[in-house]
Amino acid sequence: MTIGILSDTHSFLDPAIERHFAGCDEIWHAGDIGHAEILDRLAEIAPVVRAVRGNIDHGETARRCPELLIFEVDGLRVLLTHIGGYPGRYSRGMKTLLRENRIGLMVDGHSHILKVIPDPELNLLHINPGAAGHQGWQKQRTILRLTITDARPASLDVIHL
């Protein structure tokens, strides 16, 4: 299973994303999507698009996207949200939610900082894909391609836009 992961597009979808996510089974957007049209364009690239709303998402985007998703892909329990923190600095209540739901992969956005951090205490991998859009202070825009095999993250490619 191959997943394209992005966050913080802020209504801008780089044309290179279509090429990098071509062939993905799913695309996950970790919030701050901007215009709902971004979701429609992502759905043209992959058959399944899972997305959560971020703190800038309103109107149609907020109606279409929950704040948090918990789901299973290829036997791996996933939590997708926009603001969740990271190992050692989880948002209030997040550590309990991760533990109670036996999450193996947590994906969030918001910081515009690419992070891939294992949490040995909770036996999970935390991923923040960084920011794919132009708004924000990031110097480098990034997206990720994740391969899941046998209920585990098997490979992760960082793509610089």
Side-chain angles (χ1 to χ4, degrees), residues 88-106:
R89 298 199 65 168
Y90 289 116
S91 299
R92 174 176 279 168
M94 183 57 67
K95 192 172 182 178
T96 301
L97 186 65
L98 293 166
R99 181 179 285 119
E100 288 176 353
N101 286 279
R102 299 177 322 280
I103 300 300
L105 176 64
M106 175 189 175

Side-chain angles (χ1 to χ4, degrees), residues 1-149:
M1 170 84 59
T2 303
I3 315 296
I5 304 174
L6 73 165
S7 183
D8 296 279
T9 49
H10 293 264
S11 297
F12 172 75
L13 193 63
D14 191 308
I17 290 172
E18 182 176 353
R19 178 173 27 99
H20 291 297
F21 286 176
C24 284
D25 299 294
E26 297 190 4
I27 296 174
W28 301 345
H29 196 305
D32 278 4
I33 298 158
H35 297 299
E37 170 189 312
I38 297 294
L39 298 170
D40 299 331
R41 290 176 57 202
L42 291 172
E44 294 172 3
I45 301 169
V48 176
V49 175
R50 300 178 197 259
V52 293
R53 69 177 170 260
N55 53 296
I56 66 118
D57 294 320
H58 304 285
E60 174 72 15
T61 303
R63 284 189 292 279
R64 289 173 62 178
C65 301
E67 287 184 34
L68 182 131
L69 285 172
I70 295 175
F71 53 95
E72 191 170 304
V73 171
D74 198 26
L76 179 66
R77 302 261 313 150
V78 179
L79 182 143
L80 176 66
T81 193
H82 184 61
I83 302 174
Y86 53 90
R89 298 199 65 168
Y90 289 116
S91 299
R92 174 176 279 168
M94 183 57 67
K95 192 172 182 178
T96 301
L97 186 65
L98 293 166
R99 181 179 285 119
E100 288 176 353
N101 286 279
R102 299 177 322 280
I103 300 300
L105 176 64
M106 175 189 175
V107 179
D108 69 358
H110 187 62
S111 71
H112 291 222
I113 299 170
L114 171 67
K115 292 180 185 170
V116 179
I117 306 170
D119 185 335
E121 179 186 347
L122 296 179
N123 193 31
L124 67 81
L125 181 65
H126 168 270
I127 295 176
N128 183 321
H134 287 297
Q135 291 187 3
W137 54 269
Q138 72 277 359
K139 293 183 188 211
Q140 184 66 52
R141 295 180 304 115
T142 53
I143 59 175
L144 304 173
R145 279 179 59 109
L146 171 70
T147 302
I148 298 171
T149 305

